[in-house]
Amino acid sequence: MTVDQISVADRTGPAASSGRATPDRRLRISMTGRRHRAFYLFTSPWIIGFLLLTVVPMAYALWLSFTTYDGISPHWRYVGLGNYTELFADPQTWNSLGRTGLFALTSVPLSIVAGLALAVLVNRPVKARGLFRTLLYLPAVVPPVGVGLTFKALFDQNSGAANGVITLFGFDALGWLADPYARYVLLMSVLWAAGNVMIISLAGLQDVPRELHEAARIDGASAWRTFRSITVPLLSPVLLFQTVTGVIASVQTIMPLLLTPDGTTAGVTALPQSNYLYMMHVFSQYFALGRYGYASALLWVLFVLILIATGLIFRFTSGVVFYNVDPEAKK
């Protein structure tokens, strides 16, 4: 051992034997602590907002679901599972839940197909493509209140533009906002915002490698075969995301309230039966009848059903969703 090696060993040996950290180790610990503090500092607004605006209201709603609280009177009592027992025995709950399921089964596939079709069209190399994308996406940024009032004006039985057009051809005016046509107006209001789905599908389309399409054309595959065998499988993660978010959004829709005859809170009791969805039932219990405890129980049941539906979607689509990178792979 050289003299220099002995001197280095003498300087580092006591520090190591005494358990004291070396300067490099202290620097690494300090940098790690700074990164941790920076992480919590930048995420603290979201964490605080999540706790105050999500966790606390959910816990409060859970507590309300075991009471008869009406939002005003101080005279309320604890009823345990009474609200849950009542809602499971209420035929109106099951009927509204069935209509909501039917609405989700029709609106989600229609919106995904419409958004994907629009994305394919605006993905083609045509002139003014950016303008077309903007015009097709604009309806998605219109506030729901504006959409509801617009559709209510368009389909009004007496002065709506829809009846004005069909009467020009000699047909009788239809009661679009009443049964049995109200459900179709609701579906059209959902398709009105298909631009949101279009943007997500367009991003997925632009991520598909062009080399695969060129190889398919060289092999003689038709455009439809290329789309079905290459584009759709590579878009499957995007379609899965749209399915999950679409189902969650469809079961929470409150658009029918904006299509009521008077457009007010009391108007929920005058909704057509075809548009009396689960959230309309919750809304009527909260604000029309003042049954905060019962409505909170309805919301918690909906929360559990959404979790179950999401889990089933992931379970039954695990074999048909293809990722460029294995999501289970360890880094």
Side-chain angles (χ1 to χ4, degrees):
M1 180 180 293
T2 64
V3 177
D4 293 336
Q5 291 174 334
I6 295 174
S7 61
V8 171
D10 291 338
R11 289 196 301 269
T12 59
S17 61
S18 62
R20 295 195 303 270
T22 62
D24 291 341
R25 185 180 178 186
R26 287 198 300 268
L27 180 60
R28 288 195 299 269
I29 295 175
S30 176
M31 292 298 296
T32 302
R34 290 180 181 179
R35 286 195 295 268
H36 290 171
R37 286 193 296 270
F39 170 78
Y40 288 111
L41 178 63
F42 282 105
T43 59
S44 59
W46 181 89
I47 294 174
I48 295 173
F50 176 74
L51 292 175
L52 295 181
L53 302 178
T54 302
V55 176
V56 172
M58 288 182 66
Y60 182 63
L62 180 62
W63 172 77
L64 284 181
S65 67
F66 299 112
T67 69
T68 60
Y69 185 61
D70 61 0
I72 299 176
S73 175
H75 304 291
W76 57 270
R77 67 180 188 278
Y78 177 81
V79 294
L81 298 177
N83 289 326
Y84 293 92
T85 304
E86 181 182 352
L87 72 88
F88 283 118
D90 185 7
Q92 191 69 278
T93 299
W94 292 105
N95 293 336
S96 61
L97 188 61
R99 296 188 199 99
T100 303
L102 180 61
F103 174 70
L105 289 175
T106 53
S107 63
V108 174
L110 284 176
S111 61
I112 292 177
V113 171
L116 182 57
L118 293 175
V120 172
L121 289 176
V122 299
N123 194 42
R124 300 177 65 85
V126 296
K127 293 183 179 180
R129 182 172 58 176
L131 176 62
F132 288 122
R133 292 176 179 177
T134 303
L135 293 177
L136 290 173
Y137 181 68
L138 276 179
V141 301
V142 177
V145 175
V147 176
L149 295 178
T150 300
F151 272 81
K152 183 180 176 181
L154 286 174
F155 292 97
D156 185 82
Q157 185 173 2
N158 299 319
S159 60
N163 279 335
V165 172
I166 64 175
T167 53
L168 289 177
F169 295 94
F171 296 100
D172 295 332
L174 300 177
W176 291 102
L177 301 181
D179 286 326
Y181 304 106
R183 70 185 67 184
Y184 305 118
V185 176
L186 181 59
L187 284 175
M188 283 187 281
S189 68
V190 173
L191 293 177
W192 167 267
N196 191 23
V197 181
M198 178 199 71
I199 290 296
I200 300 175
S201 299
L202 181 61
L205 285 174
Q206 294 179 347
D207 195 41
V208 176
R210 295 182 178 180
E211 295 80 4
L212 298 179
H213 287 170
E214 294 173 356
R217 283 195 296 269
I218 293 174
D219 291 338
S222 62
W224 169 247
R225 180 60 185 273
T226 302
F227 179 78
R228 181 169 58 88
S229 301
I230 296 178
T231 305
V232 172
L234 292 178
L235 280 179
S236 55
V238 175
L239 299 178
L240 174 62
F241 169 78
Q242 292 174 341
T243 301
V244 173
T245 56
V247 169
I248 295 174
S250 63
V251 299
Q252 299 182 75
T253 181
I254 60 170
M255 182 62 70
L257 180 65
L258 302 173
L259 301 175
T260 55
D262 57 1
T264 62
T265 302
V268 71
T269 58
L271 272 174
Q273 283 299 308
S274 60
N275 280 359
Y276 193 82
L277 305 180
Y278 191 86
M279 281 303 297
M280 297 301 98
H281 186 47
V282 174
F283 195 91
S284 65
Q285 297 297 323
Y286 258 120
F287 301 104
L289 302 178
R291 303 187 63 189
Y292 279 44
Y294 185 71
S296 298
L298 288 171
L299 284 178
W300 266 97
V301 170
L302 179 63
F303 175 71
V304 174
L305 291 177
I306 289 175
L307 288 180
I308 295 174
T310 304
L312 290 176
I313 292 173
F314 277 103
R315 173 66 178 84
F316 289 108
T317 59
S318 59
V320 296
V321 178
F322 305 95
Y323 297 93
N324 291 331
V325 179
D326 186 3
E328 302 296 333
K330 296 182 179 180
K331 294 183 179 181

